């Protein structure tokens, strides 16, 4: 406790060189974004004054091909304004004024009506639309419960009269309009359930762990009994007494289930597994009790630092900024060049995804071979000196994205570790803790340890960018026949995956030690690693017990919220028929709620897991540095002292 207080009073900046390097890299990152935007703007200036994209047939956007190709399988044209009238091609051609307006939405100067229809130079109909995300979407409305477009309940698509509701499948605006409020209500339930689960862990952690252990033993025991029954029942069955060696390899594995020796092997394997579990339980029972008490203590610590539960919102906000900046910069860099068009077809086409020129596509061999194909925009490219170095700028963008994202995550881990460490080392929890432990810890992390955070994040980012490069190489070698190269690449991918997991584990514990003692990253990482290695069995037991309990918690919360969302959005129960919105695709908000619930539960439980890890390292430090004497008393709780059969001597 005294050493911890001393470290708070006499902290200095750590890993200054890496801090400076990180700041320079961020400045360069901003410069790359500005460069990409300036070049992109100059390119866009050359495209004219047609910023909006108009789809010839919006209902085609409901095709499953949109999900596979990320492209709506209908002709598209850039326009200055979205159409504000509803008319068909046939009616527009009969009126000179209407035709002048209509032809502004054609891909090229149209000729005769048969040529227009055959080559799809113009849309078959126009619908009154509004711009949204630089796209023209039909102006859908409602008259009572009836969907309208341009104040009309029907529209003419050039072939027949359709209901306005048919457009909803293409743009899904009706469902999107109703989703936010209902989905947020379900996500709020996930927040409440996560809080309740963390509070209940203080009282039910022990019960849950021991019930889980008993259930595992019971399941294995049932497996032994079931296999024994099968083994006995096959005693008089013809052909069941032959050996597996005599049977040999069979492609139909169900054949092995008719052999007694198979069930005997299952009995032996399960019996050995049951024996190992029971032996481990006998020898590790005390360590399991320590893990349970640490989980209960973590629940109490979260209760003292309640603001920590909402810290993931701050982390999420920072990550959103990082992801948004990376995405915008990537778009600027990707679109700062000439547009490239590809052949797109709804059916099989030998020229699919080949480069094409939209101006003469209708007269090309590609169009002749694939009459239903279209030449649609795919991406941007170019041959200027700027574009030759564009790949390096994109690489820098991806690398800085990993570095910044890891930095934000590391900042959250160190901030939470500092707050929970102040709880553990406070002799009197109500009097000796800081008034705002989370804010104080955040301030210390940014003021003194930005360099350490940048150092750990840099190491992890390097490994992650190598994994990205390996995935890229693997993608390029998919058609290759060199089996040795594939095997080597597979081994490298596996090794770097393991290395990334190890570095994440090491960084996490290094940040905890930096938050406690204020040492540099390398020294803290070494101290944390050797401290954990001296208590490796306790580490494994605590890690697996905590992971299992939090996995059950996530499963429970996502399951409960998912069931509620299903009955709410599907309308399969009378209880929600009045409150539930009318949706065409109710599985969309259900999936949204499921994913959102998982991330909410993961956010809350990541705080709890960080608390457990911090208290565990503090607990190990407490055991090694203190002996219970009046000069060096233990700072752990009385229950942990009782589990360890230790006590503090009276002054």
């Amino acid at each position: 406790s005294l050493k911890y207080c001393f470290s708070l009073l006499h902290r200095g900046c750590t890993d200054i060189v890496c801090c400076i390097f990180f700041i320079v890299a961020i400045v360069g990152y901003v410069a790359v974004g500005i460069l990409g935007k300036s070049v992109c703007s100059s390119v866009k200036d050359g495209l004219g004054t047609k910023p909006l994209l108009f789809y010839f047939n919006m209902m085609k956007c409901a095709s499953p091909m949109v999900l596979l190709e990320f492209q709506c399988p209908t002709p598209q044209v850039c326009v200055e304004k979205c159409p504000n009238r509803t008319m068909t091609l046939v009616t527009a051609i009969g009126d000179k004024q209407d035709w002048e307006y209509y032809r502004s939405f054609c891909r090229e100067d149209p000729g005769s009506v048969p040529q227009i229809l055959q080559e799809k130079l113009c849309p078959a109909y126009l619908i009154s639309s509004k711009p949204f995300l630089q796209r023209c979407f039909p102006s859908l409305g409602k008259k009572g419960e009836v969907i309208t477009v341009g104040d009309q309940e029907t529209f003419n698509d050039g072939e027949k009269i359709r209901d306005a509701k048919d457009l909803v499948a293409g743009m899904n605006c009706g469902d999107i309009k109703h989703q936010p409020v209902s989905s947020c209500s379900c996500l709020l339930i996930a927040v409440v359930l996560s809080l309740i689960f963390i509070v209940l862990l203080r009282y039910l952690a022990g019960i849950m762990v021991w019930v889980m252990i008993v259930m595992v033993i019971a399941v294995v025991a049932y497996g032994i009994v079931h296999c024994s029954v099968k083994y006995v029942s096959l005693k008089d069955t013809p052909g069941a007494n032959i050996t597996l060696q005599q049977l040999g390899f069979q492609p139909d594995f169900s054949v092995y289930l008719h052999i007694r020796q198979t069930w005997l092997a299952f009995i032996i394997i399960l019996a050995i597994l049951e024996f190992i579990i029971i032996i481990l339980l006998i020898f590790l029972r005390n360590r399991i009790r320590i893990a349970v008490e640490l989980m209960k203590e973590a629940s109490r610590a979260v209760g003292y630092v309640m603001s920590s539960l909402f810290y993931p919102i701050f982390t999420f906000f920072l990550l959103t900024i990082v992801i948004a900046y990376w995405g915008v910069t990537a778009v600027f860099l990707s679109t700062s060049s000439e547009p490239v068009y590809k052949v797109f077809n709804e059916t099989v086409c030998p020229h699919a995804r080949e480069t094409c020129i939209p101006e003469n596509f209708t007269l090309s061999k590609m169009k002749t071979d694939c009459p239903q194909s279209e030449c649609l925009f795919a991406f941007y490219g170019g041959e200027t000196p700027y574009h030759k170095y564009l790949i390096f700028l994109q690489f820098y963008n991806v690398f800085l994205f990993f570095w910044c994202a890891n930095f934000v995550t590391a900042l959250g881990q160190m901030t939470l570790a500092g707050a929970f460490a102040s709880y553990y080392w406070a002799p009197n929890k109500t009097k000796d803790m800081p008034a705002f432990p989370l804010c104080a810890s955040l301030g210390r992390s940014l003021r003194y340890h930005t360099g350490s955070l940048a150092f750990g994040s840099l190491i992890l980012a390097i490994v992650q960018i190598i994994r990205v490069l390996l995935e890229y190489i693997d993608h390029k070698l998919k058609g290759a026949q060199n089996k040795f190269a594939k095997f080597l690449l597979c081994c490298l991918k596996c090794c770097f995956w393991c290395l990334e997991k190890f570095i994440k584990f090491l960084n996490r514990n290094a940040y905890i030690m930096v938050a406690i003692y204020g040492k540099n990253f390398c020294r803290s990482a070494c101290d944390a690693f050797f401290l954990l290695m001296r208590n490796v069995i306790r580490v494994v037991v605590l890690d697996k017990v905590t992971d299992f309990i939090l996995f059950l918690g996530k499963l429970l919360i996502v399951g409960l919220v998912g069931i509620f969302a299903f009955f709410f959005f599907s309308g399969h129960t009378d209880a929600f028929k009045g409150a539930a919105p009318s949706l065409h695709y109710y599985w969309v908000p259900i999936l949204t709620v499921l994913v959102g619930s998982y991330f909410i539960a993961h956010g809350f439980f990541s705080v709890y897991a960080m608390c457990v890890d911090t208290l565990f390292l503090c607990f190990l430090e407490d055991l090694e540095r203190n002996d219970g004497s009046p000069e060096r008393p233990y700072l752990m709780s009385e229950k942990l002292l009782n589990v360890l059969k230790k006590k503090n001597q009276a002054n």
Side-chain angles (χ1 to χ4, degrees), residues 588-602:
V588 175
I590 291 175
L591 288 177
T592 303
V593 167
L594 286 175
V595 174
S597 300
Y598 174 81
F599 281 110
I600 286 174
H602 179 74

Side-chain angles (χ1 to χ4, degrees), residues 491-530:
C491 292
L492 287 174
K493 287 167 62 177
C494 180
C495 291
F496 277 96
W497 179 84
C498 295
L499 181 60
E500 182 183 355
K501 294 295 181 184
F502 174 74
I503 290 176
K504 284 183 177 180
F505 170 79
L506 189 63
N507 282 4
R508 183 184 180 91
N509 290 284
Y511 297 143
I512 295 173
M513 297 299 282
V514 172
I516 296 174
Y517 294 121
K519 300 176 184 178
N520 62 51
F521 177 81
C522 291
R523 178 71 181 276
S524 299
C526 288
D527 291 345
F529 179 75
F530 289 114

Side-chain angles (χ1 to χ4, degrees), residues 404-422:
C404 293
N406 291 331
F407 180 87
V408 170
T409 304
L411 177 63
Q413 292 174 345
M414 187 178 290
T415 300
L416 292 171
F420 293 129
S422 65

Side-chain angles (χ1 to χ4, degrees), residues 313-555:
I313 298 175
F314 179 65
T315 301
F316 177 76
F317 173 73
L318 293 180
L319 283 175
T320 302
I321 294 176
V322 171
I323 294 171
Y325 185 80
W326 164 76
V328 170
T329 303
V331 169
F332 283 152
L333 293 174
S334 299
T335 58
S336 57
S337 45
E338 300 293 330
V340 175
Y341 294 83
K342 297 281 187 180
V343 176
F344 182 84
N345 200 57
E346 294 185 60
T347 57
V348 177
C349 174
H351 303 290
R353 309 304 296 170
E354 290 185 12
T355 305
C356 58
I357 301 173
E359 287 76 13
N360 60 6
F361 181 72
T362 54
L363 303 176
S364 67
K365 185 177 183 299
M366 297 179 183
K367 185 69 175 178
T368 306
D369 295 341
C370 307
Q372 302 299 322
S373 63
E374 301 291 338
C375 185
L376 303 177
F377 169 78
F379 57 86
Y380 290 90
E383 297 296 333
T384 64
Y386 167 79
H387 298 112
K388 291 180 180 179
Y389 294 100
L390 193 60
I391 184 66
F392 297 104
L393 296 177
Q394 287 282 25
F395 178 83
Y396 187 77
N397 182 34
V398 173
F399 179 73
L400 261 292
F401 164 72
F402 282 126
W403 195 359
C404 293
N406 291 331
F407 180 87
V408 170
T409 304
L411 177 63
Q413 292 174 345
M414 187 178 290
T415 300
L416 292 171
F420 293 129
S422 65
Y423 164 84
Y424 186 93
W425 296 114
N428 190 317
K429 309 301 182 189
T430 55
K431 295 181 180 179
D432 297 332
M433 282 187 64
F436 302 100
L438 197 66
C439 294
S441 180
L442 177 61
R444 287 195 303 271
S445 301
L446 291 174
R447 181 179 178 183
Y448 298 113
H449 308 305
T450 299
S452 298
L453 293 170
F455 193 8
S457 305
L458 174 63
I459 296 171
L460 184 57
I462 291 172
V463 175
Q464 289 172 334
I465 203 70
I466 291 174
R467 289 194 64 203
V468 170
L469 292 175
L470 289 174
E471 290 293 340
Y472 175 76
I473 295 172
D474 185 38
H475 177 73
K476 290 295 183 182
L477 292 178
K478 275 189 175 178
Q481 302 297 323
N482 192 330
K483 293 184 178 180
F484 176 76
K486 290 183 178 180
F487 172 76
L488 181 61
L489 191 62
C490 183
C491 292
L492 287 174
K493 287 167 62 177
C494 180
C495 291
F496 277 96
W497 179 84
C498 295
L499 181 60
E500 182 183 355
K501 294 295 181 184
F502 174 74
I503 290 176
K504 284 183 177 180
F505 170 79
L506 189 63
N507 282 4
R508 183 184 180 91
N509 290 284
Y511 297 143
I512 295 173
M513 297 299 282
V514 172
I516 296 174
Y517 294 121
K519 300 176 184 178
N520 62 51
F521 177 81
C522 291
R523 178 71 181 276
S524 299
C526 288
D527 291 345
F529 179 75
F530 289 114
L531 179 63
L532 293 173
M533 288 302 100
R534 291 194 294 270
N535 299 271
V536 65
I537 297 179
R538 285 173 175 164
V539 172
V540 173
V541 172
L542 177 70
D543 187 54
K544 295 309 171 188
V545 169
T546 306
D547 285 349
F548 183 80
I549 295 298
L550 296 185
F551 170 75
L552 286 182
K554 291 177 186 178
L555 196 65

Side-chain angles (χ1 to χ4, degrees), residues 225-299:
V225 173
H226 178 77
C227 293
S228 301
V229 171
K230 284 286 187 180
Y231 178 76
V232 173
S233 64
L234 291 172
K235 183 179 180 180
D236 299 323
T237 304
N241 291 312
I242 64 174
T243 63
L244 294 174
Q245 187 176 5
Q246 292 173 333
L247 182 64
F249 175 77
Q250 299 293 330
D252 185 6
F253 289 99
S254 62
V255 174
Y256 294 103
L257 299 180
H258 299 284
I259 306 300
R260 295 188 73 201
Q261 200 175 73
T262 302
W263 294 104
L264 180 61
F266 287 158
I267 293 171
I268 295 171
I269 293 170
L270 290 175
I272 293 173
L273 180 63
E274 186 86 332
F275 177 76
I276 292 173
I277 292 173
I278 293 173
I279 292 297
L280 287 176
L281 185 60
I282 293 172
F283 285 98
L284 299 179
R285 67 187 186 282
N286 207 41
R287 288 179 172 82
I288 295 174
R289 290 175 62 196
I290 293 173
V292 170
E293 285 302 325
L294 278 171
M295 293 179 68
K296 292 180 180 179
E297 190 68 18
S299 186

